[in-house]
Amino acid sequence: MKLEKKVAHFTSPLYLESGRILEPYQISYETYGELNEDASNVILICHALSGSAHAAGLHEEDRKAGWWDGLIGDKKAVDTEKFFVISTNVIGSCFGSTGPMDCNYPNSEPFRLKFPVLTIKDMIKAQKQLLSQLGVHHLKAIIGGSMGGMQALQFAVDYPNFSDKIIALATTYATQPWAIAFNKVAMEAIRRDPRFKNGNYERDDFKESGIDGLAIGRIAGHISYLSPDSMNEKFGRNYVNNDGLFELFGRYEVERYMEYNTNNFSKTFDPLSYLYIVKAINTFNLSRGYDSLYEAVLRIKAETTLISFRGDYLFFPKEMKHLDKMMRRTSQNVSYHEIDSDYGHDAFLVEIDKFDTIIRKKLESL
């Protein structure tokens, strides 16, 4: 599989939903496979909250493959021998696209809290600009999970004729209070961490030891990404061997897992980016800008595939079912699949073997 990593630069203004302007800006992206002569074989991949453009394959410096490597590649469900796959990093992120710790042009100082609040609409608008710059004016499919699924659905509503197929996994039509409440833990933990300094930290301040606020907030996130069943299976009530049961801070294995993963995460992910992306997730609502959700969904013309997971405790299957029923009422081309999974929300990243056949079949006709 041919893999390329690139950055696109834009000097024309990006007009945001808030009324503010982002100018200039850049988007980091990766491509897999070969673009055909008339640019008609393109699939767009959209990532989740903590994801990046690195969806598949291995770079020389990588220790592990991209986050959807099991799905994307030669002869895989998203077949890079047939399709030219583009995976972008959303604006606001900290993995190469313009975000709050980038310079607030023409000043040399970072935006920090002066960075504009972004929405999912803004993210896909920027991606559409990238695709236009690449000479891509129509897509075979847009595929994404979680926040990536939000982007896929937003594309379907805002740009109805832009893609033949939409495949959205483990997502929702509007972020519900349950998910917003989990996100609130992370936001408050970051804001109240003294080392956050109200956003006035330096870019490399947390590379060595991370930042406690983000680590604590990420624990709440991890809980919402798993499920009671997956935690029982993975950890049980196992206690860390060298921790004393009657030590106050002795740990169960589930506690050690949370500490290890979240501490590492806080060394690599920028806390301001986390706040801005969480805000975009919280404000996601397909009906905003339209008279109702029904009116928004009525705009969708692409063949739409909705995939949920039974054990998802962040975006519940009933949310996708609601969207499916609404689309069926208007005789739109939609199919709904509820995957039998106990893993939790992150099943869309982990249990690829349970749904890759669905995606393969959907793409075979293209």
Side-chain angles (χ1 to χ4, degrees):
M1 176 182 72
K2 183 180 178 183
L3 186 163
E4 292 187 323
K5 184 177 182 180
K6 301 178 182 179
V7 178
H9 300 271
F10 301 86
T11 54
S12 57
L14 181 68
Y15 295 94
L16 305 175
E17 196 179 0
S18 65
R20 291 187 61 185
I21 295 172
L22 190 61
E23 178 188 14
Y25 65 99
Q26 67 181 42
I27 296 177
S28 174
Y29 68 102
E30 291 191 7
T31 64
Y32 315 99
E34 298 274 3
L35 184 65
N36 63 10
E37 197 170 312
D38 61 353
S40 63
N41 67 332
V42 182
I43 288 178
L44 179 68
I45 300 294
C46 303
H47 70 74
L49 192 168
S50 58
S52 69
H54 186 37
L58 278 164
H59 299 295
E60 285 184 10
E61 69 276 13
D62 287 341
R63 286 182 293 176
K64 63 179 183 178
W67 48 270
W68 243 357
D69 187 68
L71 191 71
I72 303 164
D74 291 354
K75 295 184 171 57
K76 295 179 183 178
V78 183
D79 189 353
T80 48
E81 291 183 346
K82 179 180 181 181
F83 300 109
F84 182 66
V85 180
I86 301 174
S87 174
T88 75
N89 184 222
V90 298
I91 53 171
S93 183
C94 53
F95 295 126
S97 295
T98 297
M101 286 304 286
D102 288 306
C103 291
N104 184 3
Y105 182 83
N107 300 318
S108 58
E109 281 294 303
F111 282 97
R112 296 190 172 93
L113 289 175
K114 291 180 181 177
F115 195 70
V117 168
L118 301 170
T119 65
I120 302 297
K121 278 178 177 280
D122 298 327
M123 292 174 180
I124 68 161
K125 195 175 187 180
Q127 289 174 75
K128 195 158 188 306
Q129 290 292 97
L130 168 67
L131 293 166
S132 293
Q133 182 171 294
L134 297 176
V136 177
H137 304 292
H138 188 81
L139 298 173
K140 287 296 185 185
I142 303 171
I143 309 172
S146 192
M147 187 184 82
M150 294 176 180
Q151 294 169 67
L153 291 173
Q154 194 75 66
F155 261 114
V157 170
D158 289 358
Y159 306 104
N161 297 304
F162 189 56
S163 182
D164 293 330
K165 295 178 187 277
I166 298 291
I167 302 175
L169 302 89
T171 193
T172 183
Y173 58 88
T175 304
Q176 303 300 313
W178 176 258
I180 294 171
F182 270 112
N183 289 337
K184 181 64 171 173
V185 177
M187 295 180 79
E188 288 303 312
I190 292 169
R191 288 177 62 193
R192 298 180 189 214
D193 190 314
R195 293 179 65 215
F196 179 64
K197 299 177 183 176
N198 198 34
N200 292 307
Y201 56 86
E202 297 301 321
R203 184 184 293 273
D204 296 328
D205 277 358
F206 311 124
K207 273 191 172 180
E208 294 291 324
S209 56
I211 176 170
D212 290 344
L214 180 53
I216 293 167
R218 191 63 177 171
I219 289 175
H222 254 302
I223 294 169
S224 71
Y225 303 151
L226 299 173
S227 74
D229 288 333
S230 66
M231 283 195 179
N232 285 338
E233 185 176 335
K234 191 177 181 79
F235 307 108
R237 284 188 49 82
N238 296 328
Y239 206 78
V240 175
N241 287 335
N242 55 351
D243 283 9
L245 181 62
F246 299 106
E247 293 173 8
L248 181 59
F249 299 109
R251 299 161 299 168
Y252 285 89
E253 287 291 352
V254 65
E255 294 176 289
R256 179 162 70 172
Y257 171 83
M258 292 292 175
E259 284 180 15
Y260 175 77
N261 280 279
T262 57
N263 285 338
N264 283 341
F265 180 81
S266 75
K267 296 175 186 177
T268 58
F269 206 95
D270 176 64
L272 272 172
S273 280
Y274 199 86
L275 291 175
Y276 275 91
I277 296 174
V278 162
K279 180 69 175 182
I281 291 171
N282 286 352
T283 59
F284 175 67
N285 186 346
L286 271 182
S287 67
R288 191 170 60 251
Y290 304 99
D291 290 338
S292 64
L293 179 62
Y294 176 82
E295 290 298 325
V297 169
L298 199 58
R299 291 173 52 85
I300 298 175
K301 291 184 170 58
E303 179 187 337
T304 304
T305 303
L306 305 172
I307 301 174
S308 68
F309 298 85
R310 185 174 57 81
D312 190 340
Y313 282 77
L314 186 63
F315 300 129
F316 294 88
K318 65 182 180 182
E319 296 169 44
M320 299 281 267
K321 283 180 186 174
H322 179 69
L323 196 56
D324 173 59
K325 286 178 183 175
M326 188 171 285
M327 292 185 71
R328 286 181 188 280
R329 248 183 263 139
T330 55
S331 302
Q332 286 167 286
N333 193 352
V334 63
S335 61
Y336 172 73
H337 308 266
E338 184 173 326
I339 306 300
D340 186 15
S341 171
D342 293 327
Y343 194 91
H345 178 69
D346 270 0
F348 82 95
L349 293 169
V350 177
E351 297 188 315
I352 293 171
D353 61 311
K354 291 189 174 182
F355 61 83
D356 64 339
T357 302
I358 297 169
I359 293 177
R360 185 186 294 275
K361 286 181 179 177
K362 292 295 178 182
L363 300 181
E364 276 176 354
S365 60
L366 294 173

